[in-house]
Amino acid sequence: MMLSRLRLRLRPRSAASRALGMKAAPQYEPPLPPHFSMDAIAPPPHGLGSPTTPDVDPMAIVRQPVTAAHAVDLPASRLSALDSAAFTSDGKAEHARFGKLGDAAASVPLEYLALLRPAAEGAAALREVGAAPGSTVLVYGASRPSGLAAVQLASSMGCAVAAVVDGQHSGSDEMVDAVKGLTREPGFAVAEEYALCKASFRDEVLAAVRGEGGGGWDSAAFLEEFQRNLVDYAEHYPADLPAAVDAQQLKFEGKEKDRANFKVNMEAYLSQYMPGSPPIDAAALRARFDADQYELFKRKFGRQTSAVISGGDGVMDVTRFNPPEIVSRMIDSPEEGASDDDSNDYPFEFSIKHPPRPTTPTVQGGPIAGLIIEATPELVKAATAVSKANTLRQKAEALQFLTDGERNAHAAAASLVKLAKDANAPIRVVNGALPGFTSVSANEEDVQTALDAMAIGEDGEEAKLNYFVQVYRANDFPAYEAYGVFRAGEECTLRSVVVTK
């Protein structure tokens, strides 16, 4: 038993001895390179910081340089390969359709160069119809790229432009006003629906041809219109009404149980508004309320507005200002007329005695030089359907199966075509083709004309040709390429969509 216990005790000792006798092999450490120091390796840009390497926000978007701009090819639902411009290796701009542009495009934004084709077509259309200063140019589709270029180029050369905004944008008052602002009197711009009134539209165009656009300045006509409106207002809103509201709104149309309190509640509610007009004698109004009285009457509005803004000066009642009552008192007791020396007291106030100074030089109307039609999708479909019909009945049937927008486009364009044919003026189609009409083809001269018009002067002078552009930077966000194509295909898109890459 002793021997067994001794053997058990010696075995672990022997294992321990062998373990203590083991030694790890030495590891090789390479020598440090010469001139090594702790500053030889720059710290990471984030966390530790460095005086020479500024910290960069990892969430910041670093914009990539723009090298190309593309318009959208709507029929193919992709970016256009031809209507695009890019920078070459030497920094020059090159158009996919017109080739190298040279120094002519040095001051033209790259986004505009993607729209060079419609701009050149607008210039080509003006050249082919023979537009010249002192003539009148008709334009249909004036808010589309080619039509917009024709409007601006014609106005800049001194033509009176009669522009019609097609159905896609005619419902936007902002776009119609923008196109109207690009024309100069006697030129004008109207929505497509106005061109459907053929007689009224014809009279407006003929007035522009005669140089009578803008209505001129007729003090007697302004005064007569005011007097007529005031008499109508007094008849429609008499003073016995609780307020100047339509009498139909005071009729009780509720439940019978509410009739007893309706009048009381309505009078209490309407008491916060000004009453209607006192009776106005039309004969006395025309005899005593002349241009001088109207001038004094208009000035009361300026003083009243100033009093309301400043809280009143203790003289004027800012809470009660009833213009019909003021006119009625002036009819009974005419005030002292304004002298010509007082005309400069309110230089920014409307005056029927002194016409405002023109802010832009006017152009001289003249004979119709020609008609430029933008081939909009609605007009193309309507014109194609009608062109296939032989008889008048078939044409009527073809129009019957079109949408309202397509019929309106055909009728509005027909109004312009009739005016152009009556004047023996040429008709040209831009941005597509229409049956029976000639489409334009831009040459190098037209491209140069468009580039010169889109160029921005060194002193910041505004270009003669501008576009409403919505740019999507696909070079920063590749998903914008598909989104830009989608937005360009939406109806009533007010801006031309351009995608940069």
Side-chain angles (χ1 to χ4, degrees):
M1 294 296 295
M2 287 292 294
L3 182 60
S4 300
R5 288 197 295 271
L6 180 60
R7 290 176 179 175
L8 292 173
R9 293 175 59 186
L10 290 176
R11 286 175 182 173
R13 287 182 180 178
S14 176
S17 298
R18 289 194 299 270
L20 293 175
M22 296 175 63
K23 183 178 180 180
Q27 296 182 359
Y28 173 76
E29 295 182 1
L32 296 176
H35 309 295
F36 176 81
S37 63
M38 293 301 296
D39 299 333
I41 301 177
H46 225 43
L48 300 179
S50 172
T52 58
T53 305
D55 291 343
V56 179
D57 185 1
M59 300 301 294
I61 298 175
V62 180
R63 289 196 167 188
Q64 303 298 322
V66 174
T67 59
H70 298 257
V72 178
D73 186 358
L74 287 179
S77 298
R78 63 170 181 264
L79 297 187
S80 176
L82 292 178
D83 291 332
S84 63
F87 290 124
T88 59
S89 58
D90 57 354
K92 302 293 184 179
E94 182 176 3
H95 197 274
R97 188 185 299 269
F98 303 114
K100 293 185 177 180
L101 304 177
D103 297 334
S107 58
V108 179
L110 186 63
E111 294 82 0
Y112 276 17
L113 294 179
L115 303 173
L116 183 56
R117 192 262 309 166
E121 286 189 359
L126 292 173
R127 173 179 55 81
E128 294 188 9
V129 301
S135 61
T136 302
V137 178
L138 310 179
V139 179
Y140 175 81
S143 59
R144 306 274 184 155
S146 298
L148 191 63
V151 169
Q152 296 181 71
L153 293 175
S155 297
S156 64
M157 71 171 58
C159 296
V161 181
V164 175
V165 178
D166 67 281
Q168 185 189 41
H169 297 154
S170 62
S172 172
D173 295 337
E174 294 79 4
M175 177 57 78
V176 176
D177 290 340
V179 177
K180 188 181 302 181
L182 297 175
T183 64
R184 293 185 293 175
E185 295 182 0
F188 63 93
V190 295
E192 182 180 78
E193 290 73 13
Y194 186 83
L196 301 180
C197 304
K198 299 181 183 297
S200 299
F201 181 72
R202 179 198 61 215
D203 295 341
E204 194 74 16
V205 173
L206 295 180
V209 169
R210 295 189 298 266
E212 300 174 357
W217 189 266
D218 191 348
S219 300
F222 289 148
L223 181 61
E224 181 182 357
E225 182 180 8
F226 171 78
Q227 294 172 348
R228 184 172 60 253
N229 292 337
L230 179 60
V231 172
D232 294 340
Y233 179 87
E235 294 178 355
H236 196 72
Y237 299 112
D240 55 354
L241 291 178
V245 298
D246 194 338
Q248 296 294 330
Q249 299 180 10
L250 301 179
K251 291 184 178 180
F252 176 74
E253 298 178 352
K255 296 182 180 180
E256 191 62 29
K257 64 183 183 65
D258 299 327
R259 183 183 294 274
N261 299 322
F262 172 76
K263 186 174 182 181
V264 176
N265 294 334
M266 183 60 71
E267 290 181 353
Y269 171 74
L270 296 177
S271 61
Q272 60 183 318
Y273 301 104
M274 290 293 104
S277 171
I280 300 295
D281 187 351
L285 177 65
R286 296 186 181 92
R288 301 179 182 178
F289 196 82
D290 55 9
D292 290 335
Q293 296 298 306
Y294 183 76
E295 191 84 352
L296 293 172
F297 169 73
K298 289 290 295 182
R299 292 187 181 183
K300 295 180 185 295
F301 279 89
R303 292 194 292 269
Q304 172 69 12
T305 302
S306 300
V308 171
I309 295 175
S310 61
D313 54 3
V315 178
M316 298 189 63
D317 184 4
V318 298
T319 62
R320 181 179 178 83
F321 185 75
N322 192 357
E325 291 182 354
I326 297 176
V327 177
S328 179
R329 291 195 300 266
M330 296 179 70
I331 294 174
D332 296 337
S333 300
E335 300 181 6
E336 184 179 353
S339 62
D340 292 338
D341 297 337
D342 299 334
S343 59
N344 296 323
D345 291 346
Y346 302 91
F348 302 106
E349 190 173 280
F350 172 79
S351 171
I352 64 172
K353 298 176 61 178
H354 304 279
R357 296 178 180 177
T359 57
T360 56
T362 58
V363 297
Q364 182 179 358
I368 297 177
L371 167 61
I372 300 173
I373 303 178
E374 174 102 10
T376 64
E378 296 83 3
L379 181 58
V380 170
K381 185 175 180 180
T384 303
V386 173
S387 65
K388 295 179 180 179
N390 297 324
T391 64
L392 184 61
R393 177 185 178 88
Q394 292 176 349
K395 292 181 179 181
E397 292 176 349
L399 291 173
Q400 185 65 29
F401 289 98
L402 297 176
T403 63
D404 291 341
E406 293 164 353
R407 283 196 296 269
N408 290 344
H410 186 272
S415 298
L416 292 166
V417 170
K418 178 66 165 56
L419 291 170
K421 289 184 176 181
D422 290 345
N424 293 323
I427 302 174
R428 291 295 183 269
V429 178
V430 293
N431 196 31
L434 292 174
F437 298 100
T438 303
S439 300
V440 301
S441 179
N443 55 24
E444 294 182 1
E445 178 186 353
D446 303 321
V447 174
Q448 186 63 42
T449 301
L451 289 174
D452 294 341
M454 288 190 293
I456 301 175
E458 296 180 356
D459 55 352
E461 183 180 357
E462 185 179 355
K464 297 179 182 178
L465 176 55
N466 298 277
Y467 279 107
F468 304 99
V469 180
Q470 191 167 12
V471 180
Y472 293 94
R473 297 175 60 93
N475 51 327
D476 291 330
F477 306 98
Y480 274 178
E481 178 177 343
Y483 185 62
V485 174
F486 165 73
R487 288 299 304 271
E490 289 183 329
E491 294 183 359
C492 303
T493 303
L494 296 178
R495 298 177 178 89
S496 298
V497 175
V498 175
V499 179
T500 59
K501 300 177 69 175

